[in-house]
Amino acid sequence: MKKPLIVANWKLYVTDLESAVISAKAVARAAGKTGADLVICPPTPFISNVAKAVGGKGIAVGAQASSVAEGEKHTGETTAEMLRSAGASYVIVGHSERRAEGEDGEKIAVLLEDAVAHKLVSILCIGEKMRDQGGEHFAVLETQLRDGLSRLSSKDAKRLVVAYEPVWAIGKSAADAMDTRALEETILYIRKVLAELLGRAPALSAPILYGGSVEPANAQELMSAGVSGFLVGHASVEPSSLIAIAKASFTKSNNGTKKR
Ligand code: PEP
């Protein structure tokens, strides 16, 4: 049984280096007892220190975004190569908050291709802005997958994680997260599209995470929808909350049998 994958997206919730390092160390002390694989994505300037703080403790570090810039004349950009050199091994690509700022399907495809070429595991975020009875949201997801993966080869799919994050469920509370049955149906749909795009084997092995108001209170229930883990925003900032989510995910993925 694969361990659940829990990715903490700290966004801009953590604004100073000292707090970032203290939190990362607190997560690192408890991570080994969760049964889950953890990835912390701090703001870019903190990546290197967070990587040192969790180094060797079985936690990976990721970036919240990267940019593709060729040549030196691009003031202010941070490339996948730099992120890798600072200690990141994951990167989030196409988060809805960046799509809202203008990242489109073609740009996301280029970012993903570049991140994978620099050996970063890429967490491709997809998600509809709203749901309707007619099922339009499935078409939105298919387009986002087709566009985002258009430059990825099947052999590079081992560096792919898909995060399904319905935009309407982000940044709220456990009660507003997605209904488990609807989530299960959506995960099956995403796997089907992945199989069409990448082939059956890569589609089956790519982790599919859920993100959108995951908290300790609903993590176990949401895991029963067949997700591989979570991308967690607000509830990932407090170390005890992140650890509680990781433990709940592991418990569910092992049918309630804690192997400790
Ligand atoms: C996110 O923005 O990636 C996210 C999942 O946020 P939250 O957990 O706060 O809904």
Side-chain angles (χ1 to χ4, degrees):
M1 182 98 206
K2 252 184 164 177
K3 287 181 178 181
L5 175 63
I6 309 298
V7 182
N9 177 9
W10 282 357
K11 308 193 188 190
L12 303 190
Y13 288 115
V14 182
T15 53
D16 69 280
L17 179 60
E18 200 187 344
S19 307
V21 169
I22 290 172
S23 294
K25 284 185 177 164
V27 174
R29 278 195 294 277
K33 299 193 192 96
T34 63
D37 286 327
L38 279 124
V39 181
I40 297 178
C41 301
T44 304
F46 307 153
I47 286 178
S48 171
N49 291 69
V50 167
K52 280 186 202 121
V54 301
K57 307 227 169 59
I59 301 180
V61 177
Q64 297 174 17
S66 62
S67 46
V68 180
E70 290 195 8
E72 289 104 21
K73 293 177 181 164
H74 295 281
T75 305
E77 301 291 347
T78 308
T79 62
E81 187 182 9
M82 294 171 186
L83 295 170
R84 173 110 221 144
S85 142
S89 48
Y90 284 74
V91 63
I92 298 173
V93 181
H95 191 278
S96 58
E97 288 157 10
R98 296 191 65 85
R99 289 182 190 261
E101 284 171 18
E103 266 181 18
D104 61 9
E106 173 55 21
K107 174 138 192 224
I108 288 165
V110 171
L111 287 167
L112 195 120
E113 178 188 39
D114 181 68
V116 167
H118 288 94
K119 303 202 176 349
L120 293 176
V121 177
S122 297
I123 304 169
L124 173 65
C125 296
I126 57 167
E128 74 281 0
K129 287 192 186 135
M130 57 179 148
R131 292 213 141 204
D132 58 37
Q133 296 291 346
E136 277 292 306
H137 43 273
F138 288 117
V140 171
L141 298 179
E142 179 174 351
T143 302
Q144 290 179 344
L145 283 169
R146 276 193 191 284
D147 289 351
L149 299 177
S150 58
R151 290 166 173 261
L152 190 82
S153 69
S154 297
K155 90 174 166 25
D156 288 333
K158 59 180 183 301
R159 293 213 170 82
L160 173 72
V161 173
V162 174
Y164 169 57
E165 299 209 301
V167 181
W168 50 266
I170 290 181
K172 298 183 177 160
S173 65
D176 304 296
M178 193 165 181
D179 164 74
T180 313
R181 273 182 51 194
L183 178 57
E184 191 171 2
E185 182 191 28
T186 310
I187 297 299
L188 288 173
Y189 179 76
I190 291 170
R191 279 241 189 262
K192 179 178 96 52
V193 177
L194 284 180
E196 283 166 24
L197 296 174
L198 301 171
R200 202 166 170 270
L204 286 177
S205 56
I208 304 180
L209 312 181
Y210 167 77
S213 298
V214 177
E215 295 182 348
N218 61 359
Q220 203 165 327
E221 170 73 21
L222 287 165
M223 272 306 278
S224 66
V227 296
S228 318
F230 300 118
L231 177 53
V232 189
H234 68 273
S236 72
V237 184
E238 170 58 46
S240 60
S241 160
L242 178 61
I243 293 298
I245 291 170
K247 281 186 178 167
S249 324
F250 173 78
T251 306
K252 189 65 201 177
S253 67
N254 285 275
N255 294 324
T257 318
K258 288 192 187 179
K259 293 179 185 159
R260 268 167 280 156

